Amino acid sequence: MNKAGVWKSGRGRGRAHPKGRPLEDSALTEVRALLGDRPRRRDLLIEHLHLIQDRFGHLSAAHLRALAEEMRLSQAEVQEVASFYAHFDIVKEGETPPPPVTVRVCDSLSCALAGSAALHDALEAGTDPSQIRIARAPCMGRCAEAPAVEVGHRHVAPATAERVQKVIAAGDLSPQMPDYEDLAAYRARGGYARLAAMRAGELKADDLAADVEDAGLRGLGGAGFPAARKWQFVRDAQGPRYLAVNGDEGEPGTFKDRVMLEATPHAFLEGTLLAAEAIGADRVYIYMRDEYPAILKLLAAEIAALERAGLVSPGFIDLRRGAGAYICGEESAMIESIEGKRGLPRHRPPYVAEKGIFDRPTLVHNVETLYWIARIAQEGPEVLNAFGRNGRTGLRAFSVSGRVADPGVKLAPAGITMAELLDEYCGGMAEGHRFKAYQPGGPSAGLLPATMADVPLDFDTLQPHGTFIGSAAIVVLSDQDSAADAARNMLAFFESESCGQCTPCRVGCAKAVQLMDAPAWDAEKLEELAQAMADASICGLGQAAPNPIRLALKHFPEETR
């Protein structure tokens, strides 16, 4: 018998090398140089993948193998995480890397109304595919300037083929930095005084929580859970405790957080630190979507400024970068991503307030909620509860886009109706358009007809009509738009962004798009499908995805037959 075993050379059943992709010394050297003295912790896998993608423009098989070796992870773990996120380009042996420039054209509803499909085709026809990749992409948070395009990391909005070509020719594809209020300017007007008061014991956590409750502040990421009650759940749990900031503003039509951060990032950061003090957090994780490269850059700079000023200890605020996955706006999926994993929503219970990041109690707030916490600490609960309309209390930042004369973020009383918002804050409809329908809270909310423009816009007021306010992302349609086409656009988004973990959502979204592509919709089959998705999906994506179908069938039946 040959004693060489499976490693023998020559003919036969043995192998000359171990199974799997061999490690290339040159790739390992490059990966080690990129990582430098950064920790090799498992939760930093996505951050390290970004380093490679940014440096080389793609993730080669050799670099993925080297990263697995350096982080002491299996190749399967690294591969499954890299392949989950849309902003990572995996290139296998023998494959051609993507072109040096990627142009992403938004195809979400606001941009679709503004002609993004024609813009995409014009860009494809006018560029060399070996040098420039033209790709469709979901919402970039620039709905008020639709259509939006991202060239490398530089946004062009509103975009034309000529403007995009000019940016490419200029060669500067880095993000354009906004003219924001920095740390010195914020402190000059009293910023961080309330944080100092809390740390000195002059402002008690219970007093701030009472003010937050009196203000009526609810989570403004979409769920609307009372903020102060969240604090109590986490404070009652044994430490260590964490605060996770959900900056993954991915619901199409939503851009309020971006506008706030590009103007006054330290109002958000002080609110974050106040909430962290109130619950006794050991660390803060800020998860920011990759579609906001300028905000990622400015937050990194201003967090460093806070550290230099001694307002936070180094590393207390951990800024994490998303990688193009809408599902990570769901809090447990975001936490999985913070831990360096695929953004798959967790089954509940346990809830993240009990077992969140690294299975520790975690408070999750979105950007706007934390902004208002700072305002409440500085100005008292009346900064919110002194406002309201139609029996509701508070203020809401509405992201308004579509066929209106003056789109943008509109800070208006909670409970305002669509008719009032359109007339008082948006200058009415765009010229030549008549009001037909509106999306009250992003695609998850579906469409309501103009005849329902007198419904107060707030938490709890829209549910009786089969919808909700969510992130207050309002897209307005006119008589020149098809409600059925808009509903198809929404379902195509959900199909693309489903994480694939549960069958009702993964298969249901794909099947719904097929049924909606038919000349006439099969209403009975679509309703059966919608019910199964709503009942059996793990998270809010699959549960809410049927809303555009149901509301289109209910309010615009003539367009679906």
Side-chain angles (χ1 to χ4, degrees):
M1 178 181 290
N2 190 320
K3 302 293 186 181
V6 295
W7 308 120
K8 69 180 183 178
S9 299
R11 299 178 63 187
R13 300 177 62 185
R15 295 188 299 274
H17 304 286
K19 286 183 71 176
R21 181 171 285 117
L23 179 64
E24 296 182 14
D25 290 342
S26 60
L28 183 60
T29 299
E30 289 170 338
V31 166
R32 284 176 172 168
L34 276 176
L35 267 56
D37 59 358
R38 293 176 176 85
R40 269 59 168 173
R41 298 194 317 264
R42 173 66 177 81
D43 62 290
L44 294 174
L45 174 57
I46 294 171
E47 298 297 308
H48 296 344
L49 288 168
H50 274 304
L51 290 174
I52 299 172
Q53 175 79 34
D54 289 347
R55 170 64 180 82
F56 297 101
H58 63 279
L59 302 175
S60 71
H63 284 133
L64 290 177
R65 171 68 180 91
L67 184 62
E69 178 76 14
E70 187 66 7
M71 296 187 70
R72 299 295 186 262
L73 298 173
S74 70
Q75 294 183 61
E77 277 186 282
V78 175
Q79 179 77 21
E80 73 176 10
V81 171
S83 61
F84 182 84
Y85 295 93
H87 290 185
F88 294 138
D89 296 307
I90 298 174
V91 177
K92 298 178 182 178
E93 294 93 339
E95 293 183 342
T96 302
V101 176
T102 294
V103 176
R104 290 186 168 90
V105 183
C106 177
D107 64 0
S108 292
L109 184 56
S110 298
C111 288
L113 296 176
S116 64
L119 175 59
H120 176 277
D121 293 345
L123 288 170
E124 273 198 335
T127 53
D128 178 357
S130 69
Q131 298 300 312
I132 299 169
R133 173 175 55 169
I134 309 297
R136 297 184 185 276
C139 186
M140 301 172 187
R142 282 163 172 77
C143 319
E145 299 89 35
V149 168
E150 187 179 20
V151 186
H153 290 302
R154 191 180 190 88
H155 285 96
V156 184
T160 63
E162 293 74 19
R163 290 192 67 197
V164 171
Q165 293 286 10
K166 187 175 180 179
V167 169
I168 294 171
D172 182 4
L173 307 186
S174 57
Q176 289 180 292
M177 299 304 293
D179 183 18
Y180 65 90
E181 182 183 48
D182 64 10
L183 175 60
Y186 184 70
R187 295 187 81 176
R189 64 178 180 90
Y192 293 105
R194 301 308 289 161
L195 177 65
M198 177 172 273
R199 289 175 172 173
E202 299 164 10
L203 173 62
K204 304 295 185 183
D206 287 342
D207 293 336
L208 178 57
D211 282 349
V212 169
E213 186 170 3
D214 288 347
L217 182 65
R218 298 171 66 168
L220 297 172
F225 194 85
R229 285 174 57 190
K230 273 191 175 184
W231 292 11
Q232 193 61 51
F233 292 148
V234 180
R235 286 172 63 188
D236 288 346
Q238 185 175 356
R241 308 175 195 90
Y242 299 121
L243 168 59
V245 178
N246 191 338
D248 199 69
E249 187 179 46
E251 187 76 9
T254 314
F255 49 95
K256 57 187 174 62
D257 291 354
R258 176 185 66 79
V259 170
M260 287 180 178
L261 288 171
E262 288 182 347
T264 57
H266 282 283
F268 152 71
L269 287 168
E270 184 173 15
T272 299
L273 294 173
L274 286 165
E277 288 286 333
I279 65 164
D282 289 72
R283 179 169 287 192
V284 171
Y285 292 87
I286 299 178
Y287 188 88
M288 187 58 55
R289 65 187 310 226
D290 198 31
E291 290 84 352
Y292 290 172
I295 289 173
L296 280 159
K297 190 173 180 179
L298 75 84
L299 282 178
E302 295 308 310
I303 291 168
L306 288 175
E307 293 175 351
R308 289 193 300 272
L311 289 169
V312 295
S313 57
F316 179 74
I317 301 177
D318 194 337
L319 179 61
R320 295 298 180 88
R321 176 180 170 188
Y326 164 75
I327 192 61
C328 291
E330 195 277 336
E331 63 180 7
S332 65
M334 175 192 67
I335 286 171
E336 289 286 296
S337 192
I338 288 172
E339 293 180 359
K341 305 172 187 174
R342 294 174 295 167
L344 300 179
R346 298 176 179 177
H347 292 271
R348 306 180 208 188
Y351 295 93
V352 300
E354 307 165 78
K355 287 192 174 184
I357 299 173
F358 308 129
D359 287 335
R360 301 308 310 162
T362 302
L363 171 66
V364 178
H365 276 322
N366 87 310
V367 169
E368 187 189 358
T369 306
L370 292 162
Y371 166 86
W372 282 114
I373 287 169
R375 292 283 303 273
I376 291 166
Q378 293 162 0
E379 304 169 52
E382 58 273 15
V383 72
L384 283 181
N385 66 22
F387 301 89
R389 194 174 292 189
N390 297 315
R392 311 300 296 179
T393 301
L395 288 170
R396 292 302 305 265
F398 295 94
S399 306
V400 185
S401 61
R403 309 297 195 181
V404 298
D406 182 23
V409 175
K410 311 297 179 181
L411 189 61
I416 194 170
T417 68
M418 187 63 233
E420 293 167 335
L421 185 67
L422 185 60
D423 181 56
E424 298 173 30
Y425 289 82
C426 302
M429 294 293 290
E431 187 176 353
H433 293 266
R434 287 192 298 111
F435 184 27
K436 174 179 178 176
Y438 66 104
Q439 196 180 72
S444 301
L447 284 175
L448 292 177
T451 54
M452 295 180 65
D454 59 349
V455 178
L457 299 172
D458 197 14
F459 296 116
D460 311 319
T461 59
L462 292 163
Q463 279 84 340
H465 304 286
T467 184
F468 47 80
I469 193 168
S471 60
I474 295 178
V475 182
V476 177
L477 274 63
S478 79
D479 57 333
Q480 300 180 27
D481 304 313
S482 164
D485 287 347
R488 286 190 198 95
N489 179 284
M490 300 176 211
L491 263 295
F493 169 78
F494 290 130
E495 178 189 20
S496 174
E497 295 296 330
S498 173
C499 75
Q501 179 179 192
C502 67
T503 302
C505 177
R506 181 184 68 249
V507 177
C509 287
K511 184 63 176 177
V513 171
Q514 291 179 0
L515 292 171
M516 295 167 81
D517 280 338
W521 294 9
D522 186 330
E524 184 177 347
K525 189 172 290 185
L526 279 166
E527 175 52 37
E528 182 181 359
L529 179 64
Q531 192 62 51
M533 292 173 66
D535 288 344
S537 295
I538 289 172
C539 80
L541 191 157
Q543 294 162 10
N547 286 341
I549 301 170
R550 285 173 155 165
L551 293 178
L553 288 169
K554 179 178 181 180
H555 298 297
F556 307 96
E558 69 284 354
E559 296 190 25
T560 65
R561 288 197 285 264

